[in-house]
Amino acid sequence: MKLLRYGAPGQERPGVLDNHGQVRDLSQHIADVSGAALLPASLEKLRALDINQLPLVEGQPRLGPCVGHIGKFICIGLNYADHAAETGAAIPGEPVVFSKWTSAVVGPNDDVQIPRDSVKTDWEVELGVIIGQGGRYISEQDALRHVAGYCVINDVSEREFQIERGGTWDKGKGCDTFGPTGPWLVTADEIADPHRLNLWLEVDGKRYQDGNTSTMIFRIPHIISYLSRFMSLQPGDVISTGTPPGVGMGQKPQPIYLKAGQTMRLGIEGLGEQRQTTVQA
């Protein structure tokens, strides 16, 4: 299934994509694509529905973030060896963990705001993992059973705020609109191997990122198990698993950063595409 949320910001309704690429309304069956609705038993009930008989949503509604009421938005840094190399960073011995504030979350095609005083706003296409069954001290062998599904994430980052202003990375990662999520949550049963997915990103039609999740340093079962040592994972938590090379700060002979009026387009094989316009905050 491809679960989604549609409607005006803050008023999104749950939906699902049918076999013809049309949005069908799910609000008679779940209140939102969030929390308990992502537990295995709930997803099984949704799979039993005849999607093509659900109410059709007319027109081209705005798509909101594919997960609502996110409790934790956890990110993994430097998780592709070739991306670490382009930034001049050493290969980490353990996953690099940071957070995006949930106020950063927006829909897949919403505008991305360049923060005031920003000089180094950058892009990062990433595979998002959405937790279904929560847990603590999860083993690697059981980790994928805790995954409800996968989605596209743009881990927009302000590099000066992140790296040059002291402290942790979080303030350069969590600015408003820095977390486009979606277009939909593709349930785990539809993704045969999340470690064999092509992912890419373009700015104004120029492709900068063109990678594959096979080059992750830490794979998804390890990431889930590792995080669950330090926190309980809960239904609807989102994990962003790192980006392949091609980010703006890694461009040669000199970095390239975003400015207002540009268009980012990005996608992951089997998970759909996003498209954002940058605007000045």
Side-chain angles (χ1 to χ4, degrees):
M1 292 182 295
K2 293 180 175 64
L3 300 175
L4 54 87
R5 302 169 70 248
Y6 70 94
Q11 302 177 37
E12 292 93 347
R13 297 166 63 92
V16 62
L17 204 68
D18 69 16
N19 296 332
H20 304 288
Q22 297 176 297
V23 175
R24 300 278 177 166
D25 183 74
L26 270 179
S27 56
Q28 293 181 2
H29 300 276
I30 56 174
D32 203 350
V33 182
S34 64
L38 297 173
L39 289 168
S42 175
L43 294 179
E44 280 304 311
K45 289 181 181 178
L46 294 179
R47 287 189 189 96
L49 299 173
D50 183 347
I51 288 176
N52 294 318
Q53 295 303 312
L54 295 172
L56 179 66
V57 178
E58 300 291 347
Q60 299 291 324
R62 168 193 174 264
L63 296 180
C66 62
V67 182
H69 310 289
I70 296 170
K72 294 190 289 296
F73 196 149
I74 311 159
C75 301
I76 307 299
L78 302 174
N79 197 30
Y80 287 70
D82 34 11
H83 170 57
E86 75 174 345
T87 63
I91 301 297
E94 295 189 26
V96 175
V97 180
F98 62 92
S99 295
K100 291 181 91 76
W101 318 125
T102 55
S103 53
V105 178
V106 291
N109 304 314
D110 290 344
D111 290 345
V112 165
Q113 296 180 13
I114 306 294
R116 295 178 185 177
D117 303 319
S118 167
V119 293
K120 296 183 178 180
T121 296
D122 203 348
W123 57 81
E124 294 189 7
V125 59
E126 304 202 2
L127 172 65
V129 177
I130 297 95
I131 296 297
Q133 183 67 53
R136 191 180 180 201
Y137 300 117
I138 298 167
S139 70
E140 288 193 38
Q141 292 74 20
D142 291 336
L144 291 182
R145 298 178 188 174
H146 291 258
V147 176
Y150 304 94
C151 71
V152 182
I153 291 173
N154 190 352
D155 176 20
V156 186
S157 308
E158 212 298 341
R159 302 301 188 188
E160 185 192 33
F161 299 176
Q162 174 191 354
I163 299 169
E164 302 172 33
R165 300 281 291 272
T168 65
W169 288 7
D170 304 292
K171 64 178 175 285
K173 292 286 192 171
C175 300
D176 287 4
T177 74
F178 272 24
T181 303
W184 29 76
L185 181 163
V186 180
T187 51
D189 57 296
E190 292 197 4
I191 303 300
D193 185 353
H195 304 103
R196 289 287 185 274
L197 301 177
N198 294 318
L199 63 172
W200 53 271
L201 182 144
E202 298 174 352
V203 179
D204 291 341
K206 176 178 173 58
R207 183 157 298 196
Y208 286 96
Q209 292 189 274
D210 205 350
N212 189 282
T213 57
S214 62
T215 64
M216 283 183 181
I217 298 168
F218 302 106
R219 291 161 70 90
I220 294 165
H222 182 80
I223 291 170
I224 291 173
S225 179
Y226 182 84
L227 292 174
S228 74
R229 301 179 205 173
F230 308 106
M231 68 192 82
S232 60
L233 296 175
Q234 298 162 331
D237 284 349
V238 174
I239 304 169
S240 200
T241 57
T243 197
V247 299
M249 73 179 296
Q251 298 302 308
K252 306 298 185 212
Q254 61 184 17
I256 297 173
Y257 295 112
L258 294 165
K259 56 184 182 293
Q262 294 188 290
T263 299
M264 290 182 282
R265 193 168 72 92
L266 57 148
I268 301 179
E269 181 181 358
L271 301 182
E273 297 184 8
Q274 300 183 353
R275 184 185 182 94
Q276 298 109 27
T277 299
T278 54
V279 298
Q280 188 63 51

